[in-house]
Amino acid sequence: MLIFVNTRATAEVIGSRLKLMGLPIEVHHGSLSRDVRVSVEEKFKKGELKGLVCTSSMELGIDIGNVDHVIQYNSPREVQRAIQRVGRSGHSLDRVSDGTMIAMGFDDILECCVIARMALTGIIESFKVRKNAKDVLANQLCAYVMEGEQDLYKFYNIVKRAYPYRDLTFEELSEVAVELEEAGLIRRMDGYVRKRRRATSYFYDNISMIPDEKKYEVRDIVSDSIIGTLDEAFVVNTGTPGTTFITKGEMWRIVEVDVEHHRILVEPVVVEGEVPNWVGEEIPVPFEVAREVGILRGIIFNKTMRIDEIAEMYHTDRQTLSKVFGIIKKHKGEVPDERTVVVEEHRDESSIVINACFGHKVNETLGRFIVALLSYRAGSSIGMEIDPYRIKLKVPWGLRAGDVISLLKESVPEHIEAVIELSLKGTNLFRWKFVNVAKRFGIISKDVDWSKVNLRRLLDVYQGTFVYRETIDEILYERMDVERAKLVLDMIRRGEMKVVEGEASVIGKAGFSSARDLLINERGEASVLEAFKERLNREQVILFCVACKNYKQKIEVSRVPEQPRCPVCGSMMLAALKPWEEEYVEYVKRHGLKGKEKSKVERIFRNANIVMSFGKRAVIALAARGVGPETAVRILNKLREKEDDFYRDILEAEREYARTKRFWD
Amino acid sequence: MGRDVKIINATLESPMDMRVISPRVKKEDYELAKRISTSPEMAACLRKMAEII
C-alpha cells in the first residue's frame, strides 16, 4: 500500500503518527538520503513493511513490486497526478488500479471529487510546453560546436524540427549566438560558429537547467538552536521578515533573512489560531480543475441535482458531501462559481477576498495585476495571498470592495502582461531567476562568489536585453497564466462572467488553512518563555572582580548566587561578561588607555556597578545576546515583580537585536 | 517538414477506480488524537488509513 501526500512535511507528520499507532510503515521522500530510500524500498518489496508514506518521489521509475491499493491524502491537485499515483497500484494489464482519496476541509473535498470525476471520465488538464527556451538553445549550440566549426543555419534547421522550437526564427537564434560570443564562449564568422576554450566547462556545468538548490539554515533566536533547513527557493520567493511557516510540526515567524550567510533567524509563533502564510512546495491547481469546482459549487447551491446523484457522479458518498453541503447551502447572496466572482470585505482581518475559481496560476496573475494597479492608486503597498479559489488582498484603510469590482470591470485585458512585468522588477523572485538565467548563458560562472558581484549593477547593464526577457518569460511560464487571465477579464467585459459584492462568508474564509494540519502542537507563550529561561540559565558568563582584579571565573548562569561576591577580596563589584569579552579583562589591569580600549574598560565598570545593584538578575540580563550595560539597566530599572515579565523584557531585547544586528556589526 | 508520418491512437484504457472519502470524527478518535498528539480530524483520517492497510 502506498500513501501519497503532497509535501515532505506532511509525509513526516503522517508517517510518525502511523508509527506511533504501531503500524509497520516507513516514510519515503526526496529529502532523505539515497541509502535510506533504497533500504526502505527493499523492505517494502520484501513485504516487511505494510505501507510507505511518500511524496512525488514515488511517482515515477522506481520498481516497488506489488501495490494493492493507493491512498491519496488531500487533493492530488492535478488530474494527471491522480492517475499517475493511483496507477501505481495493480500495475499490470489485467488488474484494476484502485485508489482512495482522503479529503479534509471544504476546498479539499470538492477538489478531490472533481479530480476523481475527470480522471475516471478521461479528461486531463491541458499541458503547456514552454516555447523557444533560450537557455536550452544556448547550451545546445555549445554542444553542437564541441566537435569543431559548424554552420549556424544548419543548426537552426535541426533545432526547428523539435516541437518546442517549431516557431523559432533565425534572428532569435542569432541573438543567442551573439550573447554567447559576448560571454566569450563561442566565436562567429560568416555564418559559421566555433567554440572557445571556456565553452567546454560551460556546457558541462549547465547541462541541467534545474538550479542548484542551496539550503538556508533556520535558527531559532529564543533557544539559540538550529531547527532545520529551508530551500533557497522558499527564501527568495516568500521569505520576508514577518512571514510565518511550519517546519518540524511547529510554527515560526521570520525575524531576519541573512542572504550572505544563507541563514534565517526565526522566533516561535505563540498567537493561537494564527495561519501560516507559507504552505510549502505547493503543486498548483490547474484552471480546468478549479473551474469545475466552481461548477460543482453551483450544482449544490442551485439544487440542480440530488445529493445521491452528485455522490455517484463524483465518486463519493453522502456523508463526505454533507460536510460541504452545509457550508454552501447556508451561503447568502450569490455563490462564487465558475461564472461568478464574488468580492467580500473581511473587516476583522482588514482584507478583501476575491472569490475566483480559476486555479493558482490565473489567480496569481490576476492578483498581481490588481495589486500593482491598486498600490499605484493608493500610494502604498498592498499584500496579497492566493489559493486556487481566492485572491486575498491585505488592504490599507479606505479601500473598498467596490474599488476592486470596478477595477476588474474596467481593466483592459491587453495591459496585463506589461503591468505584471513592471511589478516583477525589483522583486527577490526576479533577482533570483535572473541570476539562474545569467548562469545558464555563461554570464556568471556557476560557483560565483556573491560577495564580489554587484547584482544591482548587473541588472542595470542587462536591463531590456534578451537575458532580461528570458527571465521574465521563465517566471511567466512557471507561475502565471497570462492568456487565461486575459480571457477572464474579457469574459467580464462581455458580461459572460459576473462580478458582484457579497457579505464576508464561510466560503471566502475557507482555504488558506490547510497547512494548519501540519501543526502538532499549538504552543502557549509559557512554553516559549520556559525554553528561553532554560537557555539563558545555561549560558556561560565570566565573573570578574574589578575591585581587586585578581578574581576571574567562568560559570554557568544558573550557578551564580543571588548576590555574588568576590571570594578573594569580598567586594560586590563583579562584572558579568560574555565569554568572548574575556580579552577585555586585560585592559582593566593596564594604565594609560585611550580610545576604544578606554571605553571598553568603562563598560566593564558600568557592568560591575549594575551587578552590585541588582545581583543575579543583572547577571541573567547581561548574559542575553546583544544586551549590554545600557539595555540591561533599562530592563532592570523596570523592577518587574513577576519573573516571567522580567524574562519577557529580555526576550524582547534579543528580538530587537536580531532584527537590527546587521546595522550594528 | 514534409516527412511521412502516421498518427495512431495509443490510448490504452487501463481499468481504474477511485473513491473520495472524508472520515467522520468518532468518539474513539478523540482518544487517539490525545495519544498521538494530533487533532481529532487528523486522527480520524489516520484511523481510516490504518483500516485500509
Side-chain angles (χ1 to χ4, degrees):
Chain A
M1 159 114 109
L2 295 176
I3 300 169
F4 278 103
V5 300
N6 294 337
T7 67
R8 292 163 194 183
T10 316
E12 290 292 342
V13 171
I14 301 261
S16 66
R17 292 307 172 279
L18 287 175
K19 276 189 208 168
L20 275 178
M21 289 162 71
L23 292 164
I25 59 106
E26 282 296 340
V27 174
H28 187 285
H29 61 66
S31 294
L32 298 169
S33 74
R34 218 189 117 70
D35 292 350
V36 173
R37 270 183 287 159
V38 170
S39 102
V40 165
E41 288 160 21
E42 288 301 317
K43 274 194 203 162
F44 185 76
K45 265 198 246 179
K46 279 192 220 145
E48 290 168 28
L49 296 173
K50 281 197 122 182
L52 283 185
V53 182
C54 47
T55 60
S56 42
S57 65
M58 203 38 101
E59 262 168 38
L60 302 159
I62 304 165
D63 170 27
I64 202 69
N66 257 337
V67 179
D68 301 326
H69 195 85
V70 166
I71 291 179
Q72 165 72 39
Y73 174 71
N74 289 143
S75 156
R77 292 170 167 254
E78 296 169 335
V79 180
Q80 57 99 358
R81 192 173 296 265
I83 293 173
Q84 184 68 45
R85 289 181 170 184
V86 172
R88 299 254 27 183
S89 71
H91 213 91
S92 61
L93 284 178
D94 52 335
R95 292 182 55 203
V96 178
S97 298
D98 200 10
T100 304
M101 295 191 221
I102 299 185
M104 265 172 108
F106 181 74
D107 288 346
D108 206 34
I109 292 173
L110 292 172
E111 206 172 281
C112 283
C113 288
V114 163
I115 288 173
R117 191 197 77 84
M118 289 174 82
L120 296 175
T121 33
I123 306 167
I124 301 182
E125 56 272 335
S126 62
F127 180 72
K128 214 169 129 194
V129 177
R130 174 130 189 255
K131 272 172 71 177
N132 300 344
K134 305 285 169 38
D135 42 9
V136 176
L137 202 55
N139 194 263
Q140 286 300 302
L141 182 56
C142 282
Y144 190 61
V145 298
M146 210 59 90
E147 295 287 311
E149 199 172 87
Q150 299 287 351
D151 183 347
L152 189 60
Y153 201 77
K154 205 171 141 203
F155 177 70
Y156 172 66
N157 280 326
I158 295 173
V159 168
K160 258 182 79 86
R161 297 210 301 249
Y163 179 81
Y165 292 100
R166 65 194 184 284
D167 297 327
L168 185 78
T169 63
F170 188 69
E171 285 64 45
E172 285 175 296
L173 174 62
S174 301
E175 271 185 346
V176 174
V178 171
E179 194 54 54
L180 287 175
E181 185 170 43
E182 271 169 27
L185 298 173
I186 57 167
R187 186 171 288 144
R188 296 180 310 141
M189 277 174 306
D190 306 330
Y192 278 80
V193 179
R194 181 189 291 174
K195 75 162 185 168
R196 292 181 65 177
R197 204 148 45 91
R198 237 163 53 76
T200 311
S201 65
Y202 156 78
F203 170 68
Y204 285 113
D205 280 349
N206 292 282
I207 288 182
S208 167
M209 295 292 137
I210 301 164
D212 287 345
E213 278 270 345
K214 286 221 180 65
K215 296 278 184 188
Y216 271 64
E217 174 189 292
V218 183
R219 184 176 277 273
D220 169 23
I221 59 166
V222 172
S223 64
D224 191 30
S225 54
I226 296 167
I227 51 170
T229 57
L230 282 176
D231 292 345
E232 186 176 40
F234 157 68
V235 180
V236 295
N237 289 332
T238 22
T240 47
T243 302
T244 50
F245 64 97
I246 292 177
T247 190
K248 302 271 149 76
E250 293 187 292
M251 207 190 298
W252 309 90
R253 181 182 295 108
I254 297 181
V255 177
E256 171 75 15
V257 179
D258 185 348
V259 179
E260 266 165 78
H261 299 96
H262 276 85
R263 195 169 67 169
I264 62 177
L265 301 177
V266 300
E267 59 178 343
V269 172
V270 292
V271 185
E272 244 174 77
E274 183 153 353
V275 175
N277 313 127
W278 184 68
V279 182
E281 326 106 83
E282 264 197 306
I283 305 156
V285 173
F287 183 71
E288 290 92 336
V289 171
R291 280 207 21 124
E292 187 161 332
V293 165
I295 294 174
L296 181 51
R297 282 183 185 177
I299 291 175
I300 297 171
F301 186 73
N302 299 315
K303 304 190 182 87
T304 37
M305 279 168 80
R306 280 186 296 117
I307 188 162
D308 296 315
E309 290 171 335
I310 298 174
E312 197 184 317
M313 183 164 156
Y314 286 96
H315 307 275
T316 184
D317 51 59
R318 284 184 78 110
Q319 192 260 316
T320 301
L321 280 177
S322 68
K323 289 190 179 179
V324 291
F325 263 62
I327 294 174
I328 295 178
K329 282 195 174 151
K330 275 187 210 136
H331 187 82
K332 288 187 198 129
E334 301 208 39
V335 78
D337 59 16
E338 89 287 6
R339 296 198 169 271
T340 320
V341 173
V342 180
V343 183
E344 303 174 353
E345 288 178 7
H346 291 232
R347 298 234 177 82
D348 53 332
E349 309 177 333
S350 23
S351 64
I352 288 178
V353 173
I354 305 164
N355 289 281
C357 300
F358 306 130
H360 272 108
K361 287 185 173 180
V362 171
N363 281 359
E364 168 120 24
T365 314
L366 284 176
R368 274 188 188 267
F369 178 65
I370 293 166
V371 162
L373 294 180
L374 286 178
S375 305
Y376 180 72
R377 275 191 215 166
S380 61
S381 69
I382 292 172
M384 171 185 92
E385 274 173 60
I386 61 131
D387 76 10
Y389 311 101
R390 298 159 196 91
I391 302 164
K392 188 184 195 174
L393 309 173
K394 294 269 178 197
V395 291
W397 187 83
L399 194 73
R400 304 300 300 266
D403 300 325
V404 176
I405 292 173
S406 51
L407 189 124
L408 279 169
K409 285 185 174 165
E410 289 152 21
S411 292
V412 181
E414 286 70 35
H415 289 172
I416 290 185
E417 204 155 352
V419 171
I420 299 245
E421 261 186 59
L422 218 64
S423 77
L424 282 174
K425 269 197 216 168
T427 58
N428 279 335
L429 172 65
F430 183 84
R431 279 195 279 270
W432 182 64
K433 273 276 173 210
F434 178 81
V435 167
N436 283 313
V437 172
K439 278 183 190 169
R440 279 181 241 139
F441 282 106
I443 296 165
I444 305 175
S445 96
K446 194 123 202 195
D447 39 15
V448 60
D449 177 3
W450 282 112
S451 56
K452 287 180 186 134
V453 178
N454 186 339
L455 192 53
R456 194 156 295 168
R457 237 200 88 217
L458 200 66
L459 279 166
D460 278 347
V461 171
Y462 279 90
Q463 167 108 19
T465 64
F466 94 110
V467 178
Y468 199 85
R469 184 70 243 159
E470 180 73 8
T471 306
I472 299 268
D473 281 355
E474 240 189 79
I475 297 174
L476 292 184
Y477 171 77
E478 278 172 12
R479 305 183 50 130
M480 309 209 197
D481 190 340
V482 174
E483 286 313 308
R484 285 191 174 122
K486 273 187 198 164
L487 186 79
V488 167
L489 287 188
D490 246 349
M491 287 175 78
I492 293 173
R493 284 183 115 193
R494 290 200 304 262
E496 292 164 16
M497 174 97 59
K498 266 193 282 181
V499 185
V500 296
E501 183 171 351
E503 279 176 42
S505 71
V506 179
I507 295 180
K509 269 215 169 37
F512 301 113
S513 60
S514 53
R516 286 187 59 77
D517 298 344
L518 296 179
L519 262 187
I520 295 166
N521 302 311
E522 224 159 315
R523 70 193 121 212
E525 201 227 358
S527 70
V528 172
L529 265 190
E530 208 45 54
F532 179 64
K533 258 185 234 176
E534 214 185 291
R535 190 207 97 210
L536 262 193
N537 277 289
R538 270 201 324 269
E539 297 275 356
Q540 301 276 332
V541 287
I542 289 165
L543 291 183
F544 171 65
C545 175
V546 297
C548 68
K549 303 181 179 69
N550 285 325
Y551 170 69
K552 186 181 85 180
Q553 192 198 1
K554 200 177 207 174
I555 182 173
E556 199 178 279
V557 170
S558 63
R559 297 179 49 217
V560 175
E562 284 309 312
Q563 186 64 63
R565 271 174 193 277
C566 170
V568 181
C569 70
S571 162
M572 293 200 292
M573 285 287 280
L574 291 173
L577 305 171
K578 300 190 171 69
W580 50 267
E581 290 177 310
E582 189 168 358
E583 52 180 305
Y584 305 141
V585 166
E586 295 309 310
Y587 298 161
V588 180
K589 296 176 182 169
R590 276 185 235 155
H591 293 285
L593 292 171
K594 276 182 205 135
K596 258 192 183 167
E597 295 172 348
K598 197 177 166 195
S599 79
K600 291 278 183 226
V601 171
E602 281 167 6
R603 274 174 75 87
I604 291 175
F605 272 92
R606 214 178 311 154
N607 182 316
N609 265 314
I610 298 168
V611 176
M612 186 171 73
S613 318
F614 294 96
K616 184 174 181 172
R617 274 203 170 186
V619 178
I620 295 169
L622 285 162
R625 234 157 321 184
V627 176
E630 298 79 8
T631 313
V633 167
R634 197 161 40 79
I635 293 169
L636 292 160
N637 272 335
K638 288 187 182 169
L639 299 172
R640 295 286 200 183
E641 268 173 44
K642 283 196 193 119
E643 199 188 31
D644 279 357
D645 291 335
F646 168 64
Y647 278 100
R648 200 173 287 122
D649 291 338
I650 305 177
L651 182 54
E652 190 41 51
E654 270 204 358
R655 277 187 193 135
E656 187 58 31
Y657 174 69
R659 269 194 288 267
T660 55
K661 189 162 64 174
R662 60 199 161 115
F663 304 116
W664 300 110
D665 296 342
Chain B
M1 306 243 59
R3 278 181 298 169
D4 193 17
V5 291
K6 192 167 133 198
I7 297 171
I8 58 159
N9 187 348
T11 331
L12 182 73
E13 288 275 324
S14 68
M16 188 173 272
D17 196 26
M18 281 184 210
R19 301 292 308 161
V20 180
I21 57 167
S22 186
R24 188 200 304 266
V25 180
K26 291 186 186 168
K27 227 189 218 163
E28 59 193 270
D29 296 324
Y30 286 92
E31 301 202 348
L32 177 61
K34 223 181 259 171
R35 186 158 69 82
I36 58 174
S37 60
T38 183
S39 66
E41 291 78 20
M42 180 81 125
C45 289
L46 292 163
R47 172 178 50 77
K48 198 77 205 172
M49 285 180 198
E51 280 170 25
I52 299 174
I53 291 175

